[in-house]
Amino acid sequence: MSVSVKTPHEIELMRQSGHFLEQVHDQLASYIKPGISTKELDRIGEDLIRSLGCTPNFLNYNGFPGSFCISINDEVVHGIPSEDKVIQDGDLVKIDAGLIYKGYHSDAARTYAVGDVSPEAIQLMEVTKQSFFEGIKFAKAGNHLHDISKAIGAYAAKYRYGIVRDLVGHGIGTHLHEDPPIPNFPQKRPGIRLVPGMTLAIEPMINMGRADVAWLDDDWTVVTMDGSLSAHYENTVLITDGEPEILTLTKF
Ligand code: MG
């Protein structure tokens, strides 16, 4: 698949899609408390998406059985919502969500510290988020794609964290996952040149320990091999003539 460059009309739809997803994240955040199951969060979140006239894009994607990926502590991404998984005080909870508005996808993830969380976990969460912002400093027309990868990886490496290599960001548009893949660590190859109208889901996944991950027997849930905590932060970003526009984060 070649990298799609959106028309002004498509960009407006992507912008609206992203804005709706931002609202979903903001509203769902208030429900993330000890005692709630990840299945209940998924139900509330799906209702929010549908109430905005949008469709959850994760639901049934390659058979995924939820509208949200909800991953706790050493789970990196793709946690399946379950009645049996109940949020506890001290958990690091990753909420990855996406939706479709008039055929256009958005994708964004947040990590939340629930209750009394260690300073080390808070730092992991903040560094992961900041690595995204370090990366998008290079998300400008004329730069190479892997300038973003290098900046994310260099920032996280300063903290000696494990930067997940088995999962990467991606282009996004009329499909959830489009070209190009966007690694979160330095590449020898410079990658494509960025052009205004490209929309990219940039999503560092960073472990407190080693970078290695494994897949559980449910074929979805990705966990750290060493059991260390993991954090995730993602937004859908538009390449423009100037500064990048974060479509899933307009208030910050
Ligand atoms: Mg994504």
Side-chain angles (χ1 to χ4, degrees):
M1 193 189 284
S2 60
V3 179
S4 66
V5 175
K6 279 74 178 176
T7 65
H9 175 64
E10 290 181 302
I11 288 170
E12 198 41 57
L13 294 173
M14 289 293 296
R15 200 174 267 137
Q16 191 57 249
S17 179
H19 186 55
F20 282 137
L21 183 54
E22 178 178 13
Q23 288 180 48
V24 169
H25 267 298
D26 287 351
Q27 291 184 42
L28 191 60
S30 61
Y31 294 93
I32 305 168
K33 288 181 177 153
I36 194 166
S37 74
T38 60
K39 183 70 186 174
E40 183 63 15
L41 284 174
D42 184 70
R43 265 196 293 267
I44 294 165
E46 181 177 350
D47 286 348
L48 286 171
I49 290 175
R50 295 196 190 279
S51 73
L52 295 166
C54 303
T55 311
N57 51 6
F58 293 1
L59 184 62
N60 299 321
Y61 182 85
N62 291 334
F64 188 77
S67 296
F68 289 69
C69 296
I70 307 179
S71 313
I72 302 175
N73 296 334
D74 64 325
E75 296 170 348
V76 180
V77 285
H78 304 167
I80 297 174
S82 163
E83 302 286 5
D84 299 330
K85 276 196 181 166
V86 176
I87 307 283
Q88 312 283 333
D89 186 85
D91 279 347
L92 213 54
V93 179
K94 279 87 42 167
I95 307 270
D96 194 352
L99 57 78
I100 312 168
Y101 172 70
K102 294 189 175 174
Y104 286 81
H105 292 247
S106 50
D107 189 0
R110 308 279 183 257
T111 298
Y112 297 96
V114 179
D116 198 10
V117 172
S118 72
E120 292 80 10
I122 299 286
Q123 179 180 276
L124 173 71
M125 196 173 76
E126 288 175 350
V127 168
T128 302
K129 182 175 180 179
Q130 187 57 33
S131 72
F132 164 87
F133 287 99
E134 295 297 321
I136 65 162
K137 288 178 182 171
F138 296 87
K140 291 179 180 172
N143 281 353
H144 289 101
L145 178 72
H146 295 162
D147 295 337
I148 300 171
S149 308
K150 184 178 167 188
I152 292 171
Y155 185 75
K158 283 199 286 190
Y159 294 83
R160 300 182 154 269
Y161 289 147
I163 303 155
V164 175
R165 291 170 175 261
D166 294 270
L167 299 145
V168 296
H170 50 93
I172 182 166
T174 53
H175 296 83
L176 173 58
H177 293 121
E178 298 185 356
D179 275 342
I182 309 171
N184 296 305
F185 45 94
Q187 308 289 301
K188 290 204 173 65
R189 185 177 293 189
I192 57 163
R193 251 186 216 283
L194 301 175
V195 170
M198 288 178 175
T199 44
L200 308 172
I202 299 171
E203 51 175 324
M205 288 152 271
I206 297 180
N207 303 341
M208 194 177 278
R210 293 175 59 87
D212 308 82
V213 295
W215 269 253
L216 296 186
D217 287 341
D218 63 19
D219 289 346
W220 281 105
T221 314
V222 181
V223 296
T224 59
M225 285 277 260
D226 61 7
S228 67
L229 291 174
S230 186
H232 184 202
Y233 188 78
E234 175 184 28
N235 282 298
T236 299
V237 175
L238 170 70
I239 305 298
T240 74
D241 284 322
E243 294 299 316
E245 188 178 327
I246 310 176
L247 302 180
T248 48
L249 187 70
T250 57
K251 294 172 282 180
F252 66 101

